[in-house]
Amino acid sequence: MHKDVERIVYSQQQLSEVCDRLALEINNDYKGRKVVVIGILKGCVLFFSDLFRRLEIDCTMDFMAASSYGSGTKSSGNVKITKDITEEISGKDVILVEDILDTGNTLSYIKEYLESSSPASVRICTLFDKPSRRTENIIADYKGFTIDDVFIVGYGLDYAEKYRNLPYVGVLKPEVYDK
Ligand code: IMP
Ligand code: MG
């Protein structure tokens, strides 16, 4: 285990199983359809890769990045798109893949932005959902785990850009924060 991690919350095995379940749901729901799967960088990358390889539908991948002007443990609410998709989504089914749905600022902004290009549908698939901190009226169509208001890292999720490479999800030791 990494020296900064206090405890593991989700093991590699649990993460793999949740990807199996989510892919099964998506494969059933989108049978026979063409889907553009859009990952929100950078946190989605490990989850995206594990989910995408399990999809058996006709699908393409694209990515977006958004910043909410903050590097710590809080999102500021001021969302800006820093990387846009390159695929045409008009008339297509879109699934947004996110690491964690927290206040909902990022995803509600991105969802609204994409809807202006007239896709056939936009659904949200998030690995983690923290409903206790939601400020926006947004819900995930597919979710891996519902978690309490605790800050987690690993498997793509960062603290100040670190720990994304951990193959499991854990909580940091208190002394690591704000150093
Ligand atoms: P929202 O806009 O408040 O929903 O924030 C979503 C983004 O905040 C996620 O994509 C993450 O980058 C970040 N975030 C929120 N909670 C956590 C956490 O517990 N660990 C790591 N990043 C988090
Ligand atoms: Mg982040």
Side-chain angles (χ1 to χ4, degrees):
M1 192 162 79
H2 191 288
K3 64 171 174 43
D4 294 348
V5 172
E6 186 172 78
R7 64 187 166 89
I8 294 176
V9 187
Y10 297 101
S11 66
Q12 292 190 63
Q13 175 70 24
Q14 286 173 294
L15 293 165
S16 168
E17 283 170 9
V18 90
C19 288
D20 287 342
R21 172 172 65 78
L22 293 171
L24 193 68
E25 290 177 26
I26 293 171
N27 285 330
N28 283 331
D29 291 354
Y30 288 85
K31 211 166 269 169
R33 285 154 74 185
K34 278 196 168 72
V35 184
V36 185
V37 188
I38 301 177
I40 311 302
L41 299 172
K42 304 170 204 169
C44 78
V45 168
L46 278 75
F47 172 50
F48 187 100
S49 155
D50 285 337
L51 182 72
F52 198 77
R53 81 186 72 202
R54 288 166 166 82
L55 297 183
E56 292 163 1
I57 48 175
D58 191 346
C59 57
T60 56
M61 63 161 82
D62 209 336
F63 296 93
M64 287 181 84
S67 71
S68 56
Y69 299 103
S71 62
T73 59
K74 286 192 182 70
S75 149
S76 71
N78 194 355
V79 184
K80 191 182 151 214
I81 291 170
T82 55
K83 187 223 172 297
D84 205 346
I85 50 168
T86 55
E87 289 209 39
E88 179 59 58
I89 59 164
S90 166
K92 296 183 187 166
D93 292 313
V94 170
I95 301 176
L96 281 172
V97 176
E98 173 69 302
D99 54 355
I100 183 164
L101 183 54
D102 187 18
T103 64
N105 275 317
T106 312
L107 272 182
S108 61
Y109 185 89
I110 286 178
K111 193 171 182 230
E112 208 166 291
Y113 171 78
L114 292 176
E115 275 164 350
S116 68
S117 300
S118 310
S121 68
V122 181
R123 281 190 183 168
I124 288 170
C125 174
T126 187
L127 176 58
F128 296 107
D129 187 19
K130 256 188 209 179
S132 60
R133 284 174 35 91
R134 196 69 36 82
T135 56
E136 302 299 310
N137 183 21
I138 190 160
I139 53 155
D141 303 283
Y142 304 97
K143 61 178 152 190
F145 301 106
T146 300
I147 61 168
D148 295 334
D149 185 8
V150 41
F151 196 82
I152 51 177
V153 297
Y155 194 61
L157 290 99
D158 72 305
Y159 172 63
E161 293 300 327
K162 291 175 69 179
Y163 314 110
R164 294 192 197 273
N165 55 314
L166 303 180
Y168 49 81
V169 168
V171 291
L172 293 172
K173 293 175 181 164
E175 64 265 29
V176 176
Y177 294 106
D178 305 311
K179 259 203 308 209

